[in-house]
């Protein structure tokens, strides 16, 4: 019976939800600062802003599991594996959301490279939707992004998700919508940075996000963030071992 709320939410509005698709933004750092990840260079760039792959210096692997307490059985999990191949870096990411009654699964493969002040990346995604009693649908989308480091302390990042807008339902001419995310990052010092971001799905009102990360000493980092429309608060603590 625990799966029933999720089943009702998704199955009664299955066609509508196919036109939305779950956000793949992932990683403890991104989540701690309210998912303001458009200016981050890290191992989760394949599922965030693919342009963030450009500064990868060593092979990495990362895994995450997110529990949604407000949506029963609406948990998600993701995996990212990346490696540098000068002058570019490549990565593969896997993202899954939902349970056996309704599930979205996404496989992404992308590359990123640095060109002067700009770090650019592109990726292809295979998205599969499955709902019990409705079968499954799969399609390929293209996303791209970049980060421009205008000064040592100020960066601008942007990425476009699902540029090609593949059709989901030919009968209704329904497509996966395109999402545009634009953000800025300011580093007033080596231990702190602040971020702000605007996310716009063509079918919904803009989402404004802001975040802050503070590293008082090299082992510990404190993060916080806030989203508007809908409102949500975030907080995180990071620990980095020497090895």
């Amino acid at each position: 019976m625990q799966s029933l709320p999720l089943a009702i939410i998704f199955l009664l509005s299955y066609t509508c939800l196919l036109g939305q698709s779950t956000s793949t933004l992932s990683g403890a750092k991104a989540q701690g600062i309210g998912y303001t990840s458009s200016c981050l260079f890290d191992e989760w760039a394949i599922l965030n802003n693919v342009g963030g792959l450009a500064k990868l210096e060593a092979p990495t692997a990362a895994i995450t599991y997110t529990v949604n307490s407000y949506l029963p059985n609406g948990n998600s999990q993701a995996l990212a594996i990346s490696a540098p191949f000068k002058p570019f870096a490549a990565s593969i990411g896997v993202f899954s959301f939902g349970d056996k009654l309704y599930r979205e699964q996404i496989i992404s493969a992308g590359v990123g490279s640095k060109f002067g002040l700009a770090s650019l990346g592109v990726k292809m995604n295979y998205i599969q939707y499955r709902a019990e009693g409705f079968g499954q649908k799969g399609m390929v989308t293209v996303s791209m992004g970049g980060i421009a480091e205008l000064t040592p302390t100020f960066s601008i990042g942007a990425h476009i998700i699902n540029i090609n807008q593949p059709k989901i339902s030919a009968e209704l001419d329904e497509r996966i919508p395109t999402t545009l995310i634009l953000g800025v990052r300011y580093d007033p010092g080596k231990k702190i940075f602040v971020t702000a971001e605007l996310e716009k799905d063509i079918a919904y009102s803009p989402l404004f996000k802001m975040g802050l990360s503070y590293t008082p000493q090299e082992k510990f980092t404190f993060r916080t963030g806030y989203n508007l429309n809908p409102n949500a608060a975030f907080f995180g603590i990071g620990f980095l071992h020497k090895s």
Side-chain angles (χ1 to χ4, degrees), residues 37 42 56 61 66 77 80 120 129 164 169 174-175 207 210:
S37 58
D42 65 11
L56 192 69
T66 304
Q77 45 273 321
L120 305 176
Y129 302 95
N164 56 320
S169 172
E174 186 177 8
R175 299 174 181 269
L207 168 63
M210 62 193 95

Side-chain angles (χ1 to χ4, degrees), residues 41-233:
F41 292 94
D42 65 11
E43 63 276 10
W44 286 109
I46 185 65
L47 295 176
N48 298 328
N49 182 351
V50 67
L53 286 174
K55 285 190 174 182
L56 192 69
E57 297 180 351
T60 65
I63 189 169
T64 184
Y65 186 84
T66 304
V67 177
N68 292 315
S69 59
Y70 56 88
L71 183 61
N73 299 298
N75 302 335
S76 64
Q77 45 273 321
L79 168 70
I81 300 175
S82 310
F85 300 95
K86 299 300 182 182
F88 63 90
S91 182
I92 296 175
V94 179
F95 179 89
S96 178
F97 166 85
D99 62 5
K100 64 180 182 180
L101 295 181
Y102 177 85
R103 181 173 295 277
E104 292 184 29
Q105 298 181 96
I106 301 172
I107 300 175
S108 300
V111 295
S113 187
K114 190 170 177 62
F115 302 91
L117 297 176
S119 300
L120 305 176
V122 63
K123 65 177 180 177
M124 294 188 67
N125 316 289
Y126 176 73
I127 307 174
Q128 183 184 81
Y129 302 95
R130 184 184 62 80
E132 190 171 285
F134 289 83
Q136 64 184 35
K137 291 178 179 286
M139 59 218 67
V140 175
T141 68
V142 178
S143 303
M144 63 184 300
I147 302 173
E149 297 173 279
L150 303 181
T151 72
T153 61
F154 185 76
S155 303
I156 296 178
H159 53 122
I160 305 175
I161 302 170
N162 303 328
I163 300 172
N164 56 320
Q165 291 188 307
K167 281 188 177 182
I168 301 170
S169 172
E171 295 81 6
L172 300 176
D173 193 28
E174 186 177 8
R175 299 174 181 269
I176 294 181
T178 296
T179 300
L180 173 64
I181 302 177
L182 176 66
V184 295
R185 169 174 169 167
Y186 175 59
D187 294 59
K190 293 183 178 180
K191 296 182 177 181
I192 187 171
F193 70 82
V194 293
T195 57
E197 198 168 283
L198 188 66
E199 178 178 328
K200 182 66 174 76
D201 182 316
I202 58 175
Y204 297 93
S205 300
L207 168 63
F208 179 72
K209 302 179 282 185
M210 62 193 95
L212 181 147
S213 177
Y214 175 58
T215 306
Q217 58 99 2
E218 62 180 11
K219 286 187 177 181
F220 291 94
T221 299
F222 298 92
R223 306 182 180 101
T224 187
Y226 195 79
N227 291 181
L228 295 174
N229 191 32
N231 298 341

